[in-house]
Amino acid sequence: MSPDNRFRVAFVLSLLLPVFADVQDCSEEFREEAAKKINITSCRKQSLGAEFAWNYNNGARRLEILFGAKLHGGMGWLAWGLNPGKHAGMVGTQALIGIKLSNGTSSHDTYSITDSTKLGCKLLPSKIDLEVGDFSFSFPEADFAVIQATIVLPREYNDSSTNVVWQVGNFADGKQPFMHPKNIWHLSSKETINLISGSVRGDGAHKLQKLRKVHGILNIVGWGTFLPVGAIIARYFRKFPVEWSQWFRLHVSCQILGYLLGTSGWIIGLWLGNASKYYGYHTHRVLGIVIFTFTTLQMFALRLKPKRNDDYRVYWNMYHHFLGYSLLAIISVNIFHGISILNVDHTWKWAYIGLLCLLGSIAVVLEIYTWIKFWKRESPGIHKTQDQDQKDLHRGNKNDSGASTASHS
């Protein structure tokens, strides 16, 4: 493998490795808060910005839990529960729910999630098949809520494979929590935990979360970075304003690498779309298909473009450039749409905005330099043409005068 190829592989791996790294440890603030209340044996971050700490006594089957997450606007509801079924899911969950209303009052109770809840019936407090003690709902910070409880697990609950389900909602009426948002994170907030060892089997949820991030990174790096860099190289380093003998090689390398990474991300996206049972993102999917289709068409230009002396070459160039710039605009729109779907922290959005600003600034500077150099090059020719026109006009006037004299004589 050449040094250039090794560098490219290392660059891509450096972007993907953080996604696969285990970054599930609780924040220091939450761990300190939990240590004040229970003797922590395990603590981990979960989706929806939630954190979960617990202490499990295997002999007594006694589980102490502390579960916390931010509430939207300092109000809403927080839920944590166990599901005795074979798979982690909402229906069948025995839940502990805390509610904070807009008037500042709060309440907490137990709820049994049934099929009727999924169908839209009111969710109201009910008895559950768990022995719950020391159940409380508190607010260490104004918008951060915490559920604390001690639970004795019945024998039908497998402590080495316990299905944990959690949720964060925005609105409630009294003791009735309203439906939570129906996005990918809210619909996949579940995992299967070994309470003894602390290991996690995500029931596919964590695998999907990692694949979504890989999908996003590959598309941002492939479609959103290498393709525009290749376009900048082709526009400004082919011949004017800077003539660089290696421009075509680097242009093609950027386009091929961007195409391969983007296509890989697109394939993962198709798989994620097919694996999503309860939600879909039609616009994002359609734009992704459009991007892949026309980018593939652009790649055919490596072999199918007309020769330089072909009469159709000028029209082909117009089509190739117009389609390329249009694709860059569609790619940017779809990347922002994908970031909003992921609903990750604002780091992704601002990082991509920063990337666009960097590429845009480079293009603007090179465009200004192009026009300055163009006008400097053309200005002497303009003056020369004007001088020549004046000389020709003067010579023409003299000839006209001579002709007039001859005719009179």
Side-chain angles (χ1 to χ4, degrees), residues 61-124:
R61 297 184 63 82
R62 182 171 175 269
L63 174 65
E64 294 179 282
I65 67 112
L66 196 75
F67 174 76
K70 283 189 175 182
L71 297 180
H72 178 71
M75 57 173 286
W77 54 271
L78 187 65
W80 180 93
L82 300 178
N83 191 321
K86 292 183 179 179
H87 303 286
M90 180 182 75
V91 176
T93 297
Q94 308 298 291
L96 313 178
I97 300 181
I99 299 173
K100 185 177 181 181
L101 302 177
S102 57
N103 59 13
T105 61
S106 64
S107 63
H108 58 278
D109 216 321
T110 59
Y111 295 74
S112 180
I113 315 298
T114 63
D115 286 317
S116 61
T117 307
K118 187 175 180 180
L119 294 174
C121 294
K122 290 183 179 181
L123 179 60
L124 296 171

Side-chain angles (χ1 to χ4, degrees), residues 55 166-167 187 191 203 245 263 321 335 357 409:
N55 175 33
W166 64 96
Q167 197 56 254
L187 293 171
E191 59 191 9
D203 194 32
S245 61
T263 300
H321 295 158
I335 287 176
C357 290
S409 62

Side-chain angles (χ1 to χ4, degrees), residues 159-336:
D159 54 10
S160 63
S161 185
T162 304
N163 297 321
V164 178
V165 182
W166 64 96
Q167 197 56 254
V168 180
N170 299 331
F171 304 103
D173 181 13
K175 288 196 171 186
Q176 179 196 350
F178 291 160
M179 185 64 184
H180 58 75
K182 295 181 179 180
N183 57 43
I184 56 178
W185 301 112
H186 284 272
L187 293 171
S188 59
S189 53
K190 55 187 178 180
E191 59 191 9
T192 302
I193 297 178
N194 186 324
L195 296 175
I196 302 171
S197 67
S199 62
V200 173
R201 177 172 59 85
D203 194 32
H206 284 283
K207 177 184 176 182
L208 290 176
Q209 289 176 19
K210 289 181 179 180
L211 282 177
R212 290 177 192 122
K213 291 182 179 180
V214 171
H215 163 72
I217 290 173
L218 287 175
N219 285 336
I220 291 173
V221 175
W223 301 141
T225 303
F226 280 106
L227 292 189
V229 168
I232 289 173
I233 292 170
R235 176 166 175 77
Y236 299 107
F237 296 93
R238 177 172 50 187
K239 188 173 182 181
F240 188 85
V242 179
E243 187 172 0
W244 184 29
S245 61
Q246 298 297 318
W247 77 268
F248 185 73
R249 180 182 177 185
L250 192 58
H251 167 69
V252 171
S253 297
C254 285
Q255 301 306 86
I256 291 177
L257 183 56
Y259 178 76
L260 293 176
L261 292 175
T263 300
S264 301
W266 177 73
I267 292 172
I268 293 174
L270 288 181
W271 186 89
L272 287 170
N274 292 331
S276 303
K277 298 179 181 179
Y278 307 110
Y279 47 85
Y281 300 94
H282 181 72
T283 301
H284 187 62
R285 185 185 183 94
V286 169
L287 288 178
I289 292 173
V290 169
I291 290 168
F292 169 75
T293 301
F294 287 101
T295 305
T296 301
L297 191 61
Q298 287 286 82
M299 296 302 293
F300 287 148
L302 296 174
R303 292 293 181 185
L304 301 180
K305 65 180 179 181
K307 295 180 180 179
R308 291 185 180 276
N309 57 355
D310 197 308
D311 292 339
Y312 295 99
R313 178 62 179 261
V314 62
Y315 301 108
W316 183 90
N317 284 338
M318 293 171 60
Y319 139 80
H320 184 67
H321 295 158
F322 175 78
L323 182 58
Y325 294 134
S326 299
L327 278 172
L328 293 182
I330 296 173
I331 286 168
S332 297
V333 170
N334 208 30
I335 287 176
F336 278 117

